[in-house]
Amino acid sequence: MTDVITCPSGLSGRVRGMKVREERVLADRKLARGGGQVEALLAACWEETLDPGPYAFEGGRADWSQVLQGDRFYALLHVRAFTYGPLYAFSVACREEGCRVPIAWELDLFDLPVRPLAEASRVAFASGNRFETRLPDDGRRVWFRLLTGADEQRLAAAARGPGERAFSTMLALRVLELEGVEPQQKRRALEDLSLRDADFLLGEFDRVDCGVDTAIDVECPRCLATQEVELPFDRTFFLPGAAKAARRKASRASSPT
């Protein structure tokens, strides 16, 4: 299946579902370790750019390393939906003490809420990807950026380092400048921020960014407790045969005996 999609930033193009040859991308461990699977899948399945949106692609060909995380994930959802259909089945474990049974769940990927890129954010991104805010506790100004595909690969590479701290690494990558702090002291200054300021920064990142809301409420069929989970995104997302097997197993485990 092939169709035209418009990503949250305004990037528009023609996308197709996966073919058998894309299985090689999913099976490539080197690409997986380096965070390059997403880019390889998008490059293979994005057939034509109709509107580049805020991006300056050379020669009209989409450069997914330049593309915002929200656009990349939105396009991936459509690649998956055009390949297998929009319904996605998965299994998660109930978090309630004394229950812990697997929960089999299914949703329509097209029902996930989408946050478009605001016009002010689009202008700021196209003008150098630089945004400004002020920390409530610390009081200093902070300049930060939206994450792109190239940043995803940097984070994936950093996560493999010994003793790496994923949260502070993400902050150091997103924060361009902290008022009054020399560049070589930036990471240490970020690690000294209060958790309230760090949480505020996360909220500011989301406020100006675009993307797909992947938080889902699921209900346990046994204890009826409702919990919020993130949409599972692993190899089974693109190879649903394994997910279906897991869902059948979860259904059997959660059924009354």
Side-chain angles (χ1 to χ4, degrees):
M1 179 179 178
T2 303
D3 207 347
V4 173
I5 67 169
T6 299
C7 298
S9 75
L11 168 65
S12 176
R14 193 175 300 280
V15 179
R16 66 164 172 82
M18 292 182 292
K19 298 181 180 180
V20 172
R21 59 175 171 265
E22 270 78 67
E23 196 276 336
R24 293 194 296 270
V25 174
L26 299 174
D28 192 318
R29 294 183 180 180
K30 184 177 180 180
L31 278 176
R33 288 193 300 269
Q37 281 182 323
V38 167
E39 196 151 320
L41 280 176
L42 290 173
C45 298
W46 185 271
E47 298 203 317
E48 181 185 8
T49 299
L50 302 177
D51 184 339
Y55 308 108
F57 297 141
E58 292 185 8
R61 183 173 180 82
D63 179 354
W64 292 99
S65 68
Q66 298 179 21
V67 176
L68 292 170
Q69 279 186 317
D71 281 349
R72 287 161 60 93
F73 190 69
Y74 182 87
L76 276 179
L77 288 181
H78 282 75
V79 168
R80 200 274 181 193
F82 294 160
T83 304
Y84 302 110
L87 294 182
Y88 176 48
F90 60 92
S91 176
V92 295
C94 179
R95 297 173 186 160
E96 291 295 308
E97 292 289 343
C99 187
R100 304 294 188 183
V101 301
I103 303 171
W105 204 256
E106 186 175 77
L107 59 81
D108 188 322
L109 295 174
F110 292 154
D111 288 340
L112 293 171
V114 177
R115 289 180 291 113
L117 190 68
E119 182 59 29
S121 294
R122 177 179 170 130
V123 170
F125 175 74
S127 302
N129 194 8
R130 188 176 175 90
F131 298 78
E132 181 182 337
T133 190
R134 187 179 292 275
L135 299 174
D137 277 351
D138 185 279
R140 286 179 292 183
R141 290 183 295 170
V142 175
W143 292 267
F144 63 92
R145 61 204 294 274
L146 303 182
L147 291 183
T148 63
D151 298 319
E152 285 185 7
Q153 296 200 34
R154 293 189 190 101
L155 286 172
R160 298 195 304 273
E164 186 52 54
R165 292 156 292 183
F167 183 63
S168 60
T169 298
M170 182 274 294
L171 286 180
L173 186 60
R174 296 203 69 161
V175 172
L176 296 168
E177 184 182 347
L178 182 58
E179 188 175 25
V181 175
E182 295 296 324
Q184 63 270 24
Q185 298 298 321
K186 182 181 70 173
R187 174 131 185 187
R188 182 173 181 177
L190 289 172
E191 291 181 345
D192 284 339
L193 291 179
S194 69
L195 285 179
R196 178 175 180 239
D197 276 346
D199 186 64
F200 172 81
L201 271 179
L202 294 180
E204 288 293 278
F205 297 163
D206 286 342
R207 180 182 64 82
V208 299
D209 210 343
C210 63
V212 181
D213 188 354
T214 56
I216 305 159
D217 288 329
V218 301
E219 182 182 83
C220 177
R222 177 171 291 180
C223 70
L224 303 183
T226 299
Q227 63 190 46
E228 184 180 89
V229 301
E230 284 294 318
L231 179 75
F233 187 71
D234 54 23
R235 192 165 180 265
T236 63
F237 187 80
F238 295 104
L239 295 173
K244 288 178 181 177
R247 185 167 179 264
R248 286 195 297 269
K249 183 178 179 181
S251 296
R252 291 194 296 270
S254 59
S255 297
T257 57

